[in-house]
Amino acid sequence: MTAGKLITLEGGEGAGKSTVLAAVRELLAARGIDALITREPGGTPAGEEIRRVLLDTAHHGLCAEAELLLMFASRAQLVRERVRPALAAGRWVLSDRFTDASFAYQGGGRGQPVERIAELERWAADGLQPDLTLLLDLPVAEGMRRANGRGAADRIELETADFFERVRVAYRQRAAADPARFRVIDSSRPLAVVLADVHHAVGGFLDAAGVRA
Ligand code: T5A
């Protein structure tokens, strides 16, 4: 039995992760891969409760340290309850966000020290690294415009444009530092063009992994 692969989708608010996730799931299915789909924060019963706390606007006073620890509490549970067992059983996992989001939002956005997040990644997330990460990148103003079309903002969506600019910079820095894992996709373009890039990136990854069409 060969281990499965972990593919993650990342990006700022309204970057189109949900839209792209459906396309990636279909691409995998077309090659006979029935991926486990999950999301962060959340993905387990306990994690979904933590997600509710994190996104509830009633908790506007949540401090940066509590926010970081709650993100990793959700992740610790998800990794052990769902992701590690799936990978060990040979199943592929497709996650809407993972640890890169903590480096971008809590590191870049909130200014939490990178070395602390890295330590949490080693300990709480069991050192688990994605095999492929698609970073959907677009200007902050366009992402906020798209996200605003979806109804009431959650606690994090209420942050300032400056906050989301720092998130974007942190994501791009992480992608530049690890080009073997990341594929940066300009998601400011029309959806059909974005999806063509996604097909190319995921198709190339599957070919390299020896998964036949
Ligand atoms: N968070 C998360 C942290 O701070 N730290 C962490 O460690 C983690 C894991 C919840 C929040 O938690 C934070 C980040 C988030 O603030 P989330 O549920 O992923 O994370 O929340 P969102 O980023 O808000 O994700 P969404 O699911 O709400 O947005 P998507 O999936 O990026 O965007 P999507 O697909 O819903 O698209 C938005 C709109 O744009 C349109 C879509 O049709 C939709 O209407 N669209 C396009 N329009 C034009 N052209 C395109 N190319 C388009 N692509 C999509």
Side-chain angles (χ1 to χ4, degrees):
M1 174 86 63
T2 54
K5 305 268 186 214
L6 172 60
I7 300 177
T8 59
L9 302 182
E10 299 282 359
E13 306 301 302
K17 290 178 291 83
S18 310
T19 314
V20 166
L21 187 135
V24 175
R25 178 185 215 167
E26 278 178 29
L27 276 170
L28 296 177
R31 299 227 193 173
I33 297 170
D34 172 28
L36 171 69
I37 308 294
T38 190
R39 69 169 180 180
E40 283 207 339
T44 64
E48 291 294 322
E49 290 287 316
I50 295 169
R51 178 186 178 91
R52 194 178 51 72
V53 171
L54 277 162
L55 299 185
D56 190 339
T57 54
H59 303 309
H60 55 83
L62 199 66
C63 67
E65 290 78 6
E67 182 181 276
L68 174 62
L69 291 170
L70 285 170
M71 291 294 176
F72 270 97
S74 170
R75 184 166 298 129
Q77 190 63 30
L78 179 68
V79 165
R80 287 163 182 80
E81 186 176 324
R82 302 205 70 197
V83 180
R84 280 284 191 212
L87 294 174
R91 193 163 181 201
W92 288 48
V93 179
L94 176 56
S95 186
D96 188 341
R97 298 194 187 278
F98 196 59
T99 309
D100 292 304
S102 288
F103 283 100
Y105 281 79
Q106 283 66 55
R110 302 272 187 235
Q112 289 296 292
V114 168
E115 59 277 12
R116 247 186 225 152
I117 302 173
E119 176 57 22
L120 284 168
E121 180 181 39
R122 284 189 290 275
W123 171 64
D126 197 26
L128 183 60
Q129 296 284 328
D131 297 287
L132 172 69
T133 298
L134 302 183
L135 173 58
L136 304 180
D137 180 60
L138 83 172
V140 168
E142 174 61 12
M144 291 175 94
R145 193 188 62 71
R146 290 184 192 172
N148 284 341
R150 292 176 314 195
D154 64 37
R155 188 182 63 84
I156 294 177
E157 286 168 347
L158 288 174
E159 276 300 333
T160 62
D162 279 355
F163 174 90
F164 293 116
E165 292 288 357
R166 294 195 298 276
V167 169
R168 186 183 186 202
V169 167
Y171 264 135
R172 287 159 66 113
Q173 285 174 345
R174 284 187 69 72
D178 192 355
R181 170 164 72 90
F182 277 91
R183 304 288 181 278
V184 182
I185 292 173
D186 174 1
S187 67
S188 67
R189 299 166 301 162
L191 188 55
V193 183
V194 171
L195 292 181
D197 271 10
V198 168
H199 274 246
H200 182 72
V202 175
F205 178 78
L206 291 169
D207 290 343
V211 181
R212 290 180 201 284

